[in-house]
Amino acid sequence: MTKPFDSSHLPDVFRGSEARKAGLITASQLRGSSVRRLFQDVYTRADVEVTHELRCRGAALLAPPEAVLTGRSAATVQGVELARPLDPVEMVVPEKYRFGPIDGIKIRRTEIKPEESGPWNGIRIARRTRIALDLLLRLSPRKSGWVRRLRTGVPDLDQFMRAQKLHDLHLNGEFYGRRNRGIRLARHALRLSDPRAESPPESDVRVVLAAAGIAATPQFEVISRTGHFVARLDLGDEEYKVAIEYDGRWHNTPEQRAHDRKRRRRAEAEGWRFVIVTAEDLATDFQGIVEAVWRARRGAVSPLTVPRPGQEGVRMARV
């Protein structure tokens, strides 16, 4: 009976060709169940959890030293988890270098200055202001319209800015004075960004509204006529006293629903009207969200929730 291959002596990520040359593993063992392939010629042990950070280190084994880890990948390595484990590893290389294509690694050839990155695992990793820029330059203009790209890029930028305690004054120097492909859209996204946003869906709703000419402030605090704190809103349209709130799955517990109802009633007593947005609304009916907010601005419906035409008492009535 053949003894099972013990892979414990192998690193958690390694080049298959180099491990074979060193006599640590054979070609048949590389095809076995003791190891898992991450990229062509890059493997991990089967007992190791595959995270995005692990895959970034694996990609670094293939990349030239001039390659720079950036975008969602660099953000995730730095603790802002924007990339899922199996998302493509994002890198840029200076225009004069050739690297790729490689399945599982997204490579852009673009200008990047030496001071915009530092050393990391044999390659380089972008500094935080460059990561912020690449979160937006990574979006291909050929694949979708500008609103769709903003709906992807602004939530990423909001979360990264919030975690890294950045604001637009930190980033203006990175976003202006450049001619990178996609820079105009990136600047527009920067103007829309706001690190006060507490979740990507809240940022997404804000972009949808901004595209329709509706400005809303994240985490807006309602203060009573007597100067006391009343409630904090996901998004507040102060001029028209319209609150726009995203109800995700965490709002579905009886306790959270009761809390939301009391909080919204207090704001309603101060003259605020509510539009409640669900995940389904955001995914399939962004025009309906805009219409509901315009109706609430006109004061044409009762407070607390704004049902859509043909949807009275259904989705939008959930609180």
Side-chain angles (χ1 to χ4, degrees):
M1 182 175 179
T2 305
K3 184 179 179 180
F5 173 63
D6 180 9
S7 63
S8 61
H9 62 288
L10 293 168
D12 60 352
V13 62
F14 60 95
R15 292 283 299 267
S17 57
E18 294 178 358
R20 286 178 60 191
K21 188 180 298 184
L24 299 176
I25 197 169
T26 66
S28 63
Q29 289 165 346
L30 280 173
R31 295 190 295 269
S33 59
S34 296
V35 298
R36 181 184 294 118
R37 181 181 165 191
L38 300 177
F39 308 102
Q40 183 176 357
D41 196 36
V42 176
Y43 297 83
T44 184
R45 300 193 312 270
D47 65 308
V48 174
E49 179 186 3
V50 176
T51 64
H52 194 75
E53 188 270 345
L54 179 81
R55 294 182 70 248
C56 289
R57 289 195 284 116
L61 296 177
L62 298 174
E66 298 81 11
V68 179
L69 188 74
T70 192
R72 283 178 163 178
S73 294
T76 300
V77 165
Q78 295 194 359
V80 188
E81 295 188 4
L82 299 180
R84 295 167 296 186
L86 299 183
D87 282 347
V89 173
E90 297 178 17
M91 292 182 173
V92 297
V93 292
E95 292 176 329
K96 64 181 179 179
Y97 292 98
R98 296 285 180 182
F99 172 46
I102 298 174
D103 286 344
I105 305 177
K106 185 177 180 180
I107 304 160
R108 288 189 301 114
R109 293 175 59 246
T110 188
E111 177 190 4
I112 182 163
K113 302 170 185 175
E115 62 270 22
E116 292 177 325
S117 66
W120 184 82
N121 281 275
I123 57 169
R124 300 185 69 78
I125 189 169
R127 302 198 187 280
R128 61 181 190 160
T129 54
R130 178 67 198 218
I131 293 172
L133 175 67
D134 284 326
L135 285 173
L136 304 171
L137 293 182
R138 64 183 287 278
L139 305 173
S140 171
R142 296 179 180 177
K143 293 183 178 179
S144 57
W146 68 273
V147 174
R148 186 178 296 275
R149 283 179 284 146
L150 288 172
R151 290 183 63 183
T152 300
V154 172
D156 281 352
L157 186 58
D158 283 354
Q159 294 302 299
F160 186 71
M161 291 173 68
R162 181 181 180 86
Q164 294 287 321
K165 296 180 170 55
L166 291 169
H167 52 75
D168 54 1
L169 293 179
H170 291 123
L171 300 177
N172 280 336
E174 196 72 51
F175 280 65
Y176 289 86
R178 288 183 173 275
R179 302 180 65 180
N180 302 68
R181 185 168 178 261
I183 192 63
R184 292 178 63 185
L185 185 74
R187 291 171 188 153
H188 187 42
L190 178 61
R191 290 191 292 271
L192 288 177
S193 66
D194 195 317
R196 290 175 292 182
E198 290 192 344
S199 73
E202 289 177 23
S203 299
D204 193 358
V205 173
R206 197 176 76 250
V207 172
V208 166
L209 297 177
I214 300 170
T217 303
Q219 301 306 310
F220 183 87
E221 292 190 350
V222 178
I223 305 299
S224 72
R225 299 174 183 87
T226 58
H228 294 92
F229 174 81
V230 174
R232 191 159 57 111
L233 312 172
D234 290 349
L235 293 165
D237 180 354
E238 183 176 12
E239 182 179 357
Y240 292 91
K241 284 195 169 183
V242 175
I244 306 97
E245 298 213 304
Y246 176 80
D247 276 8
R249 292 180 180 177
W250 61 90
H251 287 268
N252 289 335
T253 65
E255 296 81 6
Q256 187 61 46
R257 286 198 298 269
H259 172 76
D260 287 342
R261 190 181 299 278
K262 290 178 182 177
R263 179 176 57 85
R264 289 166 183 167
R265 291 297 184 193
R266 292 196 302 268
E268 180 189 39
E270 297 295 327
W272 285 79
R273 298 175 182 274
F274 278 78
V275 173
I276 311 303
V277 180
T278 68
E280 184 181 0
D281 298 324
L282 197 51
T284 64
D285 192 20
F286 67 88
Q287 185 59 43
I289 296 170
V290 171
E291 291 172 359
V293 174
W294 281 113
R295 293 175 63 203
R297 278 181 157 197
R298 293 194 299 268
V301 295
S302 60
L304 190 58
T305 58
V306 180
R308 314 272 181 80
Q311 294 180 319
E312 283 75 6
V314 192
R315 285 200 322 251
M316 295 301 290
R318 293 179 182 171
V319 294

